[in-house]
């Protein structure tokens, strides 16, 4: 499976995701944001970091970069697209995913391992997980507070487009388990065709027991499935 | 031609920064304070003599980049 990781000035999880993808036997290429051609890819990853120093709004400037037109074209023709953290913010700024990520409710940058629950395990990204499986995944963001309008929220629920929700150790999605104030504890969403996933937690940081755990690995093996 | 653009969070969107500023001012004794919403301010100069055309251009800038229409409102004023 061929993957491309888009690199912006200020991306800082691009190497981590590349290492995770290569560990899982993806044939990966790094693509600079000024490039106008995207290599043939089955998966495009928009990585985490602080593209353009979060100027204007997180992801706003990266969302208008040259390569993004190609990403949008590929996404519209069915290519799989994964946006992690700043990548999720960038995807909402491009319009590929609806909604937006507001500043964390407590106004603090949060870097910690949190529990998330797999709500939909029938997608290209999550099919190796069990439904309602609880994962421990790192989050590291200042703007992760997912917000959208009622119409979109209804669509997310009705069409089963919420991939992950924040929860406690027992899987309860209560406010105490909501790290950033996200609407209904939402941690990751899909587009209506389910070929685009945006998520704030970092699965690429959870692929090796030496540094963390392996809870993120099944996201990549799902893609290979 | 110069314009100012003010961008603020929509009424229904939580503005935690504005809230903290508001609480601090209340704690400082500013008793008549009713509410504060924090926003962004841009000063934009456009090379255009016709005001309508210039405003149209600034409006396009707002819609395409400066404002996230899901959560923000904006006002354009000539200065």
């Amino acid at each position: 499976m061929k993957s491309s990781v888009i690199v912006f000035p200020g991306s800082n999880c691009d190497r981590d995701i590349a290492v995770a993808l290569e560990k899982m036997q993806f044939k990966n290429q790094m693509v600079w944001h000024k490039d106008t051609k995207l290599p043939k890819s089955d998966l495009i990853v928009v990585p985490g970091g602080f593209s353009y120093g979060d100027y204007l709004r997180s992801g706003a400037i990266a969302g208008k970069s040259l390569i993004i037109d190609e990403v949008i074209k590929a996404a519209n023709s069915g290519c799989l697209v994964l946006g992690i953290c700043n990548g999720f913010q960038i995807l909402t700024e491009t319009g590929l995913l609806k909604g937006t990520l507001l500043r964390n409710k407590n106004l603090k940058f949060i870097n910690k391992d949190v529990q998330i629950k797999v709500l939909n395990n029938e997608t290209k990204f999550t099919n190796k997980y069990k439904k309602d499986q609880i994962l421990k995944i790192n989050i590291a963001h200042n703007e992760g507070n997912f917000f959208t309008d009622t119409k979109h929220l209804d669509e997310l629920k009705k069409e089963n487009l919420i991939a992950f929700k924040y929860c406690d150790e027992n899987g309860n999605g209560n406010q105490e388990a909501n790290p950033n104030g996200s609407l209904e504890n939402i941690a990751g969403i899909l587009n209506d065709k389910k070929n685009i996933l945006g998520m704030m937690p970092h699965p690429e940081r959870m692929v090796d027991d030496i540094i963390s755990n392996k809870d993120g690995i099944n996201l990549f093996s799902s893609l290979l499935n | 031609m110069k314009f100012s653009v003010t961008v603020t969070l929509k009424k229904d969107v939580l503005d935690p920064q504005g809230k903290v500023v508001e609480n601090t001012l209340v704690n400082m004794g500013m008793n008549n304070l009713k509410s504060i919403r924090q926003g962004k301010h841009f000063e934009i100069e456009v090379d255009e003599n016709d005001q309508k055309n210039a405003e149209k251009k600034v409006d396009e800038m707002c819609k395409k980049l400066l404002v996230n229409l899901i959560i923000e409102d904006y006002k354009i004023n000539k200065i």
Side-chain angles (χ1 to χ4, degrees):
Chain A
M1 195 158 180
K2 286 182 183 151
S3 59
S4 295
V5 173
I6 315 288
V7 185
F8 302 96
S11 295
N12 66 8
C13 303
D14 47 329
R15 291 305 310 158
D16 302 42
I17 183 76
V19 167
L21 289 166
E22 279 156 18
K23 181 185 164 90
M24 299 301 290
Q25 310 300 320
F26 282 77
K27 286 198 177 68
N28 187 52
Q29 287 198 59
M30 307 305 271
V31 181
W32 184 235
H33 70 108
K34 280 189 176 165
D35 290 355
T36 46
K37 264 204 157 168
L38 198 63
K40 200 173 162 359
S41 323
D42 306 298
L43 169 73
I44 300 167
V45 182
V46 189
F50 297 87
S51 57
Y52 295 91
D54 278 347
Y55 287 3
L56 191 62
R57 294 178 304 274
S58 309
I61 309 288
K64 307 292 173 198
S65 52
L66 285 176
I67 194 67
I68 286 297
D69 289 342
E70 293 301 303
V71 174
I72 292 172
K73 258 189 240 165
N76 288 338
S77 59
C79 181
L80 297 171
V81 181
L82 170 64
I84 302 167
C85 197
N86 188 220
F88 184 10
Q89 295 161 343
I90 293 168
L91 291 181
T92 63
E93 284 287 343
T94 62
L96 284 173
L97 287 173
K98 288 190 233 167
T100 192
L101 284 312
L102 297 172
R103 185 124 187 233
N104 294 342
K105 200 176 171 184
N106 66 0
L107 296 175
K108 286 183 181 138
F109 183 92
I110 306 167
N111 178 8
K112 64 175 180 183
D113 294 353
V114 297
Q115 277 85 24
I116 58 171
K117 187 152 86 173
V118 181
L119 258 75
N120 184 348
N121 69 335
E122 294 171 346
T123 76
K124 289 270 190 195
F125 301 92
T126 55
N127 57 69
K128 286 279 184 181
Y129 290 114
K130 294 190 189 82
K131 179 156 170 51
D132 295 332
Q133 188 177 340
I134 300 166
L135 317 173
K136 195 169 190 185
I137 308 254
N138 179 258
I139 55 166
H141 58 245
N142 200 39
E143 282 88 11
N145 177 354
F146 180 77
F147 180 83
T148 195
D149 57 40
T150 325
K151 194 174 152 240
H152 181 221
L153 182 64
D154 289 344
E155 184 194 329
L156 288 173
K157 287 193 216 166
K158 216 174 117 200
E159 306 294 325
N160 208 5
L161 301 176
I162 302 171
F164 305 105
K165 272 192 178 188
Y166 301 107
C167 66
D168 65 15
E169 281 158 2
N170 302 315
N172 302 314
N174 48 32
Q175 272 312 302
E176 286 77 52
N178 187 343
N180 52 26
S182 270
L183 197 62
E184 304 216 357
N185 286 39
I186 290 172
I189 60 161
L190 298 144
N191 66 329
D192 53 357
K193 287 184 189 147
K194 298 191 177 121
N195 66 315
I196 306 173
L197 169 68
M199 60 191 294
M200 289 313 295
H202 286 273
E204 81 280 16
R205 296 185 182 181
M206 317 315 265
V207 293
D208 203 318
D209 281 328
I210 296 172
I211 52 164
S212 53
N213 64 36
K214 286 187 171 172
D215 284 3
I217 225 160
N218 274 351
L219 191 131
F220 302 100
S221 48
S222 297
L223 289 162
L224 293 167
N225 194 11
Chain B
M1 208 170 278
K2 270 191 174 178
F3 295 89
S4 82
V5 173
T6 308
V7 182
T8 45
L9 285 169
K10 284 185 175 167
K11 203 166 65 63
D12 300 334
V13 179
L14 182 74
D15 173 19
Q17 285 190 86
K19 202 82 207 155
V20 169
V21 174
E22 182 185 317
N23 290 344
T24 306
L25 285 170
V26 169
N27 292 342
M28 288 163 70
M30 310 285 181
N31 290 326
N32 296 334
L33 175 61
K34 269 181 105 174
S35 73
I36 287 195
R37 303 286 284 172
Q38 189 172 322
K40 289 176 203 159
H41 175 80
F42 299 90
E43 282 180 11
I44 302 174
E45 198 171 351
V46 190
D47 193 7
E48 174 72 65
N49 296 323
D50 182 76
Q51 189 173 337
K52 263 203 169 146
N53 283 344
E55 268 176 26
K56 224 171 128 187
K57 206 81 212 153
V58 174
D59 192 62
E60 193 186 344
M61 291 174 197
C62 288
K63 289 202 169 92
K64 286 192 171 164
L65 181 67
L66 302 181
V67 183
N68 181 343
L69 297 168
I70 305 169
I71 48 165
E72 292 169 330
D73 288 326
Y74 65 101
K75 268 186 216 141
I76 301 171
N77 288 307
K78 192 172 177 299
I79 48 175

